[in-house]
Amino acid sequence: MALTAIIEAHGGPEQFKLVDRPVGDPGKGEIRIAQKAVGLNFIDVYQRTGLYPMQLPHAMGMEAAGIIEAVGEGVTHLKVGDRAAYAAQPPGAYAEARVMPAAQVCPLPDGISFEEGAAMMLKGLTVEYLFHRTTPLKRGDTVLFHAAAGGVGLIACQWARSEGVTLIGTAGTDEKCQLALDHGAAHCINYRDGDWAARVQELTDGKGVDAVMDAVGADTFEGSLNSLKPLGMMISFGNASGPVPLFNLGILGPKGSLKITRPTIFTHIGDHATCQEMAKHLSDKVLSGDVKINIGQRFALKDIAQAHEALEARQTTGSTVLEIR
């Protein structure tokens, strides 16, 4: 039996229930993992609220790290006793142990702790595809990254610095802006202090940025488009302030023949070999010291509702992990 956080109806954090569930043995292409730490992400909120609907009841959570307890037929990249971490479908990471598909479960090097592994996979693989698989970026390019002091943002700040990319961040307080700067952002704008899009234009001498990486959504969409240089790429990869409203595609032309995409991590990691390659790239960044995983908050699994409340209230910085005792 494994303590597991589930929801039986979409709604607020009060919907969480903690239940003991049988774990069972892995089938073909599956593994059983005893989890040591679990990551918290905004996609978890979207699923809980019903923005991304799920068939209920359902266990929650998308990333974790732990030790492989059993391996099903056909699994060759992992063995019993291996340290491993993942960001993967289906949800179910808020648990002491689980059986799940093996394809997106990745070896976790000894030099990376279970907490770091749980905190880095979904966020770090997101940054990997943003910088290397979404639009061509090269040394000397400039990107605008919203919510730069969050879990994804702090990894992105460091990643940009390591790649020679100038990152202009935004955040909601001066303290969060300083955190982004400390992690490698070239500039960080407190978006509560006036017209942040105009400030982006000032910082780029009126040229605009090569790409915008925006997980905020509704509140920042128009300003993001106004921050791009001609032929720039708008990457909308989240909805923390709500979904982007419907807009006239024709505005992209007069704004500079802009490009726009709405990627998801699960498309990028859907292929087993690509997922493992991305995870190795991420691990190499962490092991080299180019990227340090900032864990700003820790909660017990039983306090999952409190953890969600803090995340939604934007009271968190860096990554948040659930500790499994």
Side-chain angles (χ1 to χ4, degrees):
M1 304 292 284
L3 188 67
T4 305
I6 68 168
I7 59 169
E8 296 177 329
H10 292 300
E14 72 281 356
Q15 295 296 337
F16 280 113
K17 293 181 64 176
L18 291 171
V19 296
D20 277 315
R21 296 181 15 155
V23 180
D25 295 319
K28 184 177 181 179
E30 294 182 328
I31 55 91
R32 184 174 72 234
I33 182 169
Q35 306 198 137
K36 302 298 183 182
V38 177
L40 190 72
N41 297 280
F42 247 101
I43 190 174
D44 306 350
V45 174
Y46 304 154
Q47 291 170 342
R48 192 205 73 225
T49 61
L51 179 63
Y52 295 174
M54 298 189 303
Q55 186 173 353
L56 301 179
H58 210 297
M60 292 285 294
M62 301 301 296
E63 71 175 341
I67 298 174
I68 302 298
E69 285 191 324
V71 173
E73 179 187 348
V75 177
T76 59
H77 69 292
L78 296 165
K79 64 182 185 301
V80 173
D82 279 355
R83 304 170 81 253
Y86 65 86
Q89 300 275 22
Y94 295 173
E96 292 174 330
R98 68 181 296 200
V99 168
M100 64 182 295
Q104 280 69 46
V105 182
C106 306
L108 182 67
D110 289 341
I112 301 175
S113 72
F114 288 120
E115 282 198 346
E116 289 170 325
M120 78 180 195
M121 288 298 286
L122 194 144
K123 303 169 190 68
L125 293 177
T126 296
V127 172
E128 205 275 352
Y129 83 66
L130 288 173
F131 278 85
H132 295 276
R133 301 171 192 272
T134 307
T135 191
L137 289 173
K138 62 185 183 302
R139 184 173 295 273
D141 283 349
T142 301
V143 302
L144 173 64
F145 200 101
H146 290 295
V152 179
L154 292 184
I155 294 174
C157 289
Q158 298 172 82
W159 203 290
R161 178 173 58 189
S162 75
E163 300 280 338
V165 173
T166 298
L167 186 145
I168 300 172
T170 67
T173 68
D174 290 343
E175 291 77 15
K176 287 186 175 183
C177 281
Q178 188 59 55
L179 188 60
L181 293 169
D182 292 343
H183 282 74
H187 311 277
C188 195
I189 305 164
N190 185 336
Y191 59 75
R192 302 186 193 281
D193 288 345
D195 187 344
W196 53 264
R199 179 64 178 142
V200 171
Q201 292 295 332
E202 291 175 13
L203 291 170
T204 58
D205 297 322
K207 296 177 182 178
V209 300
D210 296 280
V212 177
M213 301 174 178
D214 187 348
V216 174
D219 288 353
T220 51
F221 182 72
E222 184 175 356
S224 292
L225 293 181
N226 294 336
S227 299
L228 283 163
K229 65 172 54 173
L231 304 179
M233 172 64 84
M234 171 66 186
I235 307 170
S236 175
F237 69 101
N239 325 272
S241 67
V244 172
L246 295 176
F247 73 100
N248 176 9
L249 192 66
I251 68 174
L252 300 179
K255 284 184 179 293
S257 299
L258 302 180
K259 295 167 281 189
I260 187 167
T261 185
R262 179 55 169 93
T264 75
I265 184 176
F266 301 111
T267 305
H268 284 281
I269 67 172
D271 174 72
H272 166 72
T274 301
C275 177
Q276 300 298 319
E277 175 187 308
M278 291 171 66
K280 185 178 186 308
H281 192 185
L282 171 60
S283 293
D284 287 347
K285 284 283 189 184
V286 174
L287 290 170
S288 72
D290 283 343
V291 171
K292 293 181 171 59
I293 305 302
N294 181 303
I295 300 174
Q297 302 75 217
R298 293 171 172 83
F299 293 86
L301 178 59
K302 66 180 179 62
D303 295 324
I304 183 59
Q306 182 183 343
H308 269 237
E309 288 168 358
L311 183 64
E312 287 184 276
R314 302 190 185 185
Q315 295 172 347
T316 63
T317 57
S319 297
T320 301
V321 297
L322 306 174
E323 298 173 315
I324 306 296
R325 298 300 182 186

